[in-house]
Amino acid sequence: MSISLTLSAATKLGELLQEENNPQTKLRIFVSGGGCSGFKYGFTFDDTQEEGDTLIESHGAKVLVDPTSLGMLTGAEVDYVEDLSGAQFVIRNPNASSSCGCGQSFTPNSMGGCSNA
């Protein structure tokens, strides 16, 4: 099982990538240390697929994930949400035992973390 994108996320990603005007550009999703729960999600545009990267295609959108991040994101769903607090990509991650109020950081199932869910 890999990462999936909702139609909303793929559509918004397609719009953003058109603005980049480079057909090689893809969205890179990664996990890094930090954040109030221990790990945080990151997003960046990248036109280089590194050795070991996984290329995920969903609804016509292309996403790159490095091997380390993929282990923490397997089974996750990326969505694009517009609500009263703004518009953003959000990750629904079954590997996260908890996340904190910002919604951008998480604790993997194998670790403890903050009590916000």
Side-chain angles (χ1 to χ4, degrees):
M1 179 185 285
S2 190
I3 299 169
S4 64
L5 275 73
T6 64
L7 182 56
S8 176
T11 300
K12 184 61 177 180
L13 179 55
E15 292 170 7
L16 294 172
L17 290 175
Q18 277 186 335
E19 293 174 13
E20 292 294 309
N21 202 26
N22 178 351
Q24 300 303 314
T25 303
K26 299 164 190 69
L27 179 67
R28 179 176 291 280
I29 300 174
F30 59 93
V31 174
S32 61
C36 55
S37 290
F39 291 94
K40 62 183 177 178
Y41 302 115
F43 302 91
T44 188
F45 289 122
D46 198 339
D47 57 4
T48 304
Q49 184 171 344
E50 302 293 336
E51 185 175 337
D53 281 348
T54 297
L55 175 65
I56 297 154
E57 296 186 54
S58 181
H59 302 290
K62 296 180 180 179
V63 174
L64 295 171
V65 183
D66 65 87
T68 302
S69 297
L70 186 63
M72 289 191 235
L73 292 170
T74 298
E77 178 184 66
V78 180
D79 195 7
Y80 182 74
V81 178
E82 295 182 45
D83 58 24
L84 293 175
S85 59
Q88 64 182 341
F89 286 99
V90 293
I91 296 179
R92 294 182 188 100
N93 188 349
N95 302 303
S97 63
S98 65
S99 62
C100 286
C102 62
Q104 298 299 309
S105 65
F106 71 101
T107 303
N109 283 331
S110 61
M111 301 174 73
C114 67
S115 59
N116 298 344

